Amino acid sequence: MMSNNSPASYNTTRSWSVSDDSLRRYVFFASESCIQELLSASDSNRDNCSGNVNDGWKVLAFEDGVEISKRRSGSATFHAFRSRWLLKSVSPQQFITVANAIDAAKQWDSDLVEARYIKDLDENLSIIRLRYGENAKPLFRNREFILYERRETMDDGTLVVAIASLPKEIAAGLHPKQNNSIRGLLLQSGWVVEKLDDDSCMITYVVQLDPAGWLPKFFVNRFNTKLVMIIENLWKEAQAHPSLINHEIG
């Protein structure tokens, strides 16, 4: 490891060559933590939407079975957002086909100019590149994300998709920045899809995004609206295309 006093340590664009085995070990470790956080977020406050449970989540809105919550994470500038829906007439298997990094990214902003799986580390573990263009909304304009995506099925049948950015040094080694794009950070994101007794499922979507080092407060209301729209649009897509598995868009 480099000493903190080494001149090279101040080079923020430095990248390291990393083997697939080392990358796989890192992502398994990082994603395991993300999976546990997602499961915790889906379990907390499930039967009490009034916000009285002291689990860190503050319920911002609850209407027609849709809950939007926010939780501060370690710093005043970092917030995690959660959307929870009870979806009727769609199975977990149907919804999980569109509950992935690429399909969700298309819903965040239509000016997604590139979204592709750049490396498969395992059957359910992949590295993804997302790139937004100059015409995207300010939150995503000219930003690029290098993410991992891990899918797991729990013993009770709950499906979890954990998504987060790779460290910038590793990301630079896998895919150098292009066209003066800005490397954004998706600190934590993912889906928990729980099967219910009938042909329905409970969807929990969590996202913690820090694209530029700071998330202005006025984006909170936009997040609330977007979280609802993303699940609604993917729900419709899952119903229309129950067997769709999207691994790449042009």
Side-chain angles (χ1 to χ4, degrees), residues 40-247:
S40 176
S42 71
D43 184 65
S44 64
N45 209 19
R46 178 169 302 151
D47 298 319
N48 187 345
C49 295
S50 65
N52 293 327
V53 176
N54 186 23
D55 59 3
W57 288 100
K58 178 182 179 181
V59 178
L60 303 177
F62 182 76
E63 184 176 355
D64 296 331
V66 180
E67 176 205 306
I68 301 294
S69 302
K70 180 180 73 169
R71 182 176 67 183
R72 180 173 294 181
S73 179
S75 167
T77 60
F78 290 164
H79 290 87
F81 296 84
R82 177 180 71 181
S83 179
R84 304 184 63 207
W85 276 50
L86 172 62
L87 298 185
K88 298 289 187 180
S89 303
V90 61
S91 69
Q93 289 73 23
Q94 278 181 271
F95 191 79
I96 207 71
T97 61
V98 293
N100 57 62
I102 289 179
D103 284 301
K106 288 188 290 184
Q107 299 297 328
W108 278 106
D109 196 301
S110 60
D111 192 45
L112 181 67
V113 296
E114 182 181 355
R116 63 188 180 93
Y117 287 77
I118 61 176
K119 184 183 287 289
D120 289 325
L121 299 175
D122 208 341
E123 181 180 359
N124 295 315
L125 183 62
S126 302
I127 307 299
I128 298 170
R129 182 187 186 220
L130 306 174
R131 184 166 66 89
Y132 293 89
E134 293 286 351
N135 297 322
K137 296 178 176 64
L139 191 61
F140 295 100
R141 185 171 299 150
N142 201 29
R143 301 201 182 278
E144 178 187 76
F145 300 83
I146 306 296
L147 316 169
Y148 67 74
E149 178 181 81
R150 179 178 169 186
R151 294 167 171 260
E152 289 292 339
T153 302
M154 303 294 104
D155 291 340
D156 62 357
T158 298
L159 302 170
V160 184
V161 183
I163 304 163
S165 288
L166 292 173
K168 289 187 176 182
E169 297 84 0
I170 296 178
L174 289 174
H175 202 294
K177 278 199 307 182
Q178 298 176 354
N179 302 322
N180 298 317
S181 60
I182 302 167
R183 280 273 159 88
L185 291 177
L186 183 63
L187 302 177
Q188 175 184 292
S189 179
W191 304 83
V192 178
V193 184
E194 302 166 84
K195 180 176 174 56
L196 302 181
D197 292 337
D198 54 0
D199 189 22
S200 303
C201 57
M202 174 70 76
I203 306 295
T204 303
Y205 179 39
V206 176
V207 61
Q208 185 177 11
L209 183 67
D210 179 41
W214 178 58
L215 185 63
K217 290 183 179 180
F218 70 84
F219 276 117
V220 171
N221 288 335
R222 296 186 185 184
F223 260 92
N224 297 345
T225 302
K226 204 67 177 176
L227 287 173
V228 173
M229 292 175 59
I230 286 173
I231 294 184
E232 183 176 20
N233 290 341
L234 293 182
W235 179 19
K236 292 176 181 177
E237 189 172 343
Q239 289 178 309
H241 306 284
S243 61
L244 175 65
I245 302 178
N246 188 3
H247 278 85

Side-chain angles (χ1 to χ4, degrees), residues 30-42 154 160 162 188:
S31 60
E32 187 64 33
S33 176
C34 188
I35 286 173
Q36 295 306 315
E37 287 287 334
L38 293 171
L39 288 171
S40 176
S42 71
M154 303 294 104
V160 184
Q188 175 184 292

